[in-house]
Amino acid sequence: MMHESGLKSVHITGGEPFMWSKTVDLLDYAQNIGLDTSILSNGFQIQSLAKTHTEVLRKLKVAQISLDTTNPTMHDSRRGSEGAWQQAMDAIAALRELNVSVEISCVVDDENVSELLAVGNFAKSIGASLIVRPLVSIGRASTNQISYLFQKRLEKSLLELKQANVNVICDRFNYVPVTESIDEHNWQQDIFTIEPDGRFRGSKGFVYGNSSITNALELLQVS
């Protein structure tokens, strides 16, 4: 078992992790063998799971919830699901009720970069940290390219967040696209994918943290 070889924590995401019915069981098992657990979710089913699997959710070290804007219509459109914004808000409320540490994960592109300060102020109002993720050109966003204009608008928003004293953090978790080929280097970095059939696979991946706000501030030379 990997925990016997020094594994300390498990971070579960997707896609949407709670689309799989066994995710709660996986979290429960990980917690029972002494691992720290955390999730990145769009909020799917969390409100109900907080009632049916209270102790599992209560034991989460941190829960990252995706929130792209404080505008419900825009968020629903971006997420491709009516009610996605309310789902995220309900999840945040349920997790806070359980005293779980919440981090707001905001995926940013040209469409919503001007919304970033509002999201940051919301995070600040509930005592949550904010992770800023410039949209990665993969999957449904494969045609997206970061423009110079977007970079300048992002720089402005980052400055506004700093001036508003929003607690912005660098994501500390690694994420591996399922579609990439095997990469021995990532095995050495303890980065891997668990396939739907349960197999472990080392993968050529990317680190979302490199696109988060701390690194963005450095990249944009914001002082």
Side-chain angles (χ1 to χ4, degrees):
M1 297 294 293
M2 295 187 68
H3 75 282
E4 295 173 348
S5 300
L7 183 68
K8 301 296 184 184
S9 63
V10 173
H11 180 62
I12 300 180
T13 181
E16 167 50 44
F18 294 111
M19 289 290 292
W20 185 44
S21 62
K22 299 296 184 181
T23 294
V24 176
D25 295 333
L26 182 59
L27 287 168
D28 186 41
Y29 177 79
Q31 292 166 356
N32 286 335
I33 62 174
L35 300 180
D36 288 339
T37 55
S38 57
I39 59 169
L40 169 57
S41 168
N42 62 28
F44 180 72
Q45 289 193 340
I46 287 180
Q47 185 180 41
S48 61
L49 290 171
K51 299 175 182 177
T52 60
H53 296 79
T54 306
E55 289 307 308
V56 174
L57 265 64
R58 195 193 304 276
K59 291 177 183 177
L60 290 172
K61 197 77 171 179
V62 63
Q64 298 178 341
I65 301 298
S66 299
L67 187 69
D68 294 343
T69 170
T70 57
N71 181 315
T73 301
M74 179 184 290
H75 182 84
D76 288 0
S77 175
R78 289 173 61 82
R79 294 288 164 171
S81 175
E82 184 177 354
W85 184 87
Q86 190 60 57
Q87 174 179 268
M89 299 299 288
D90 290 343
I92 291 168
L95 290 163
R96 293 182 70 226
E97 183 70 22
L98 296 178
N99 293 316
V100 176
S101 178
V102 173
E103 296 172 355
I104 303 300
S105 171
C106 184
V107 177
V108 186
D109 59 12
D110 284 300
E111 179 184 35
N112 72 325
V113 66
S114 62
E115 299 285 315
L116 194 51
L117 179 60
V119 175
N121 282 332
F122 167 73
K124 181 180 177 181
S125 74
I126 64 170
S129 301
L130 174 67
I131 300 171
V132 178
R133 307 180 193 274
L135 186 64
V136 176
S137 298
I138 192 168
R140 288 195 299 136
S142 60
T143 60
N144 179 273
Q145 299 295 327
I146 296 178
S147 67
Y148 174 77
L149 177 60
F150 168 67
Q151 290 183 16
K152 301 307 290 184
R153 295 177 68 196
L154 177 59
E155 179 178 354
K156 178 177 181 292
S157 294
L158 294 175
L159 281 170
E160 291 173 340
L161 287 169
K162 184 176 182 180
Q163 292 165 356
N165 295 315
V166 174
N167 184 29
V168 292
I169 62 173
C170 179
D171 195 6
R172 57 210 173 282
F173 299 114
N174 295 319
Y175 302 86
V176 183
V178 176
T179 57
E180 299 294 338
S181 59
I182 291 175
D183 182 354
E184 180 64 28
H185 171 74
N186 277 357
W187 275 111
Q188 297 169 6
Q189 299 300 314
D190 300 322
I191 304 171
F192 55 85
T193 291
I194 302 177
E195 299 282 14
D197 61 5
R199 289 180 301 142
F200 284 69
R201 178 174 65 80
S203 299
K204 191 174 185 179
F206 61 91
V207 181
Y208 250 135
N210 287 342
S211 297
S212 68
I213 188 165
T214 301
N215 303 87
L217 285 168
E218 294 174 356
L219 180 64
L220 297 167
Q221 298 182 337
V222 177
S223 61

